[in-house]
């Protein structure tokens, strides 16, 4: 559950300016969408505004990927070139964090994503993101792992190397300085 947070007018203005500039710079990610309509939706939802602020603050560079007409929602993904810099060195989930006896990371992907009010990218979403550019060419990102794999102690991560998306596995309790996570947000 997200704690209600309040942004200052200056924080809101800076965030909206950054989102608008990113939107206008990367029109290939959202052809036929209109920024003013997106901004209206963002401004009327303080929880989503907070989540976008957190995505931006932690280095995710959120941007609109598409509009879901059925749900009447815009879909944002973290679009930073490499996995968000302030979301790295995290194990996969609370169970993995609790299982570590020593050298525990400071947090885990699921607790941090939940606190931010965002969802971890699925494999399908990660592959969709890669259609807009080459992301994670030097880093990797945890992705949502199917229950049957997680139940066996594993977790999935992805990256982009040699012109190809690679999906790998690792122990869920592992963490690396070059591995973080990317999120999605419906607004």
């Amino acid at each position: 559950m997200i704690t209600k947070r309040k942004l200052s007018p200056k924080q809101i203005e800076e965030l909206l300016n950054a989102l608008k500039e990113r939107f206008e710079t990367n029109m290939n990610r959202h052809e036929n969408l209109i920024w003013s309509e997106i901004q209206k939706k963002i401004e009327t939802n303080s929880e989503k505004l907070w989540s976008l602020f957190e995505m931006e603050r932690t280095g995710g560079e959120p941007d609109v990927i598409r509009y879901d007409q059925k749900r009447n929602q815009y879909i944002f993904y973290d679009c930073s070139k490499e996995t968000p810099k302030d979301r790295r060195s995290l194990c996969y989930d609370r169970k993995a964090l609790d299982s570590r006896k020593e050298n525990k990371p400071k947090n885990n992907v699921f607790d941090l994503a939940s606190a931010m009010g965002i969802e971890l990218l699925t494999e399908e979403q990660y592959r969709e993101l890669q259609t807009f550019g080459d992301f994670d060419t030097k880093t990797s990102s945890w992705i949502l792992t199917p229950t049957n794999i997680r139940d066996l102690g594993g977790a999935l991560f992805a990256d982009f190397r040699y012109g190809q998306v690679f999906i790998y596995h690792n122990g869920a309790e592992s963490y690396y300085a070059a591995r973080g996570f990317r999120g999605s947000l419906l607004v």
Side-chain angles (χ1 to χ4, degrees):
M1 187 165 133
I2 304 171
T3 306
K4 288 203 177 209
R5 308 285 173 118
K6 189 139 175 86
L7 300 176
S8 71
K10 182 179 180 186
Q11 288 172 315
I12 293 169
E13 179 184 355
E14 288 173 355
L15 174 64
L16 290 172
N17 286 339
L19 293 173
K20 180 181 181 186
E21 183 179 333
R22 188 170 300 120
F23 178 88
E24 291 172 347
T25 303
N26 298 285
M27 291 304 294
N28 65 309
R29 296 179 187 159
H30 35 251
E31 292 175 8
N32 303 319
L33 297 184
I34 300 167
W35 173 252
S36 59
E37 294 173 7
I38 298 165
Q39 183 172 335
K40 281 181 205 169
K41 258 190 115 83
I42 294 169
E43 289 175 326
T44 60
N45 191 326
S46 61
E47 284 186 17
K48 303 295 183 173
L49 187 63
W50 170 257
S51 294
L52 285 166
F53 177 80
E54 286 297 288
M55 290 172 84
E56 185 72 21
R57 183 186 65 77
T58 58
E61 300 178 20
D63 197 8
V64 179
I65 296 300
R66 66 184 139 78
Y67 175 70
D68 184 331
Q69 203 162 17
K70 266 182 155 174
R71 295 185 199 176
N72 186 29
Q73 293 180 310
Y74 294 97
I75 301 167
F76 284 79
Y77 287 174
D78 284 310
C79 292
S80 54
K81 191 77 176 138
E82 301 299 335
T83 198
K85 65 182 180 332
D86 289 340
R87 289 189 242 154
R88 297 180 188 175
S89 297
L90 305 169
C91 62
Y92 186 72
D93 58 15
R94 172 59 56 183
K95 182 180 175 185
L97 182 62
D98 290 345
S99 75
R100 290 193 67 96
K101 302 295 182 225
E102 52 188 44
N103 301 319
K104 289 187 178 207
K106 62 185 174 199
N107 206 342
N108 69 83
V109 168
F110 274 87
D111 286 354
L112 185 53
S114 177
M116 294 172 65
I118 64 176
E119 299 290 327
L120 191 61
L121 289 187
T122 65
E123 179 179 345
E124 179 183 10
Q125 290 170 322
Y126 189 87
R127 289 182 185 282
E128 178 184 26
L129 174 66
Q130 293 290 354
T131 66
F132 300 111
D134 298 343
F135 300 92
D136 288 333
T137 61
K138 297 175 186 155
T139 58
S140 61
S141 295
W142 289 112
I143 60 174
L144 191 63
T145 299
T147 305
N148 63 324
I149 294 172
R150 183 61 194 100
D151 287 347
L152 295 171
L156 300 179
F157 66 96
D159 62 25
F160 188 83
R161 304 288 196 278
Y162 309 108
Q164 175 74 42
V165 173
F166 287 93
I167 307 298
Y168 306 93
H169 61 90
N170 218 175
E173 71 285 345
S174 65
Y175 65 98
Y176 301 94
R179 183 173 308 148
F181 76 95
R182 295 175 180 277
S184 68
L185 179 70
L186 298 173
V187 177

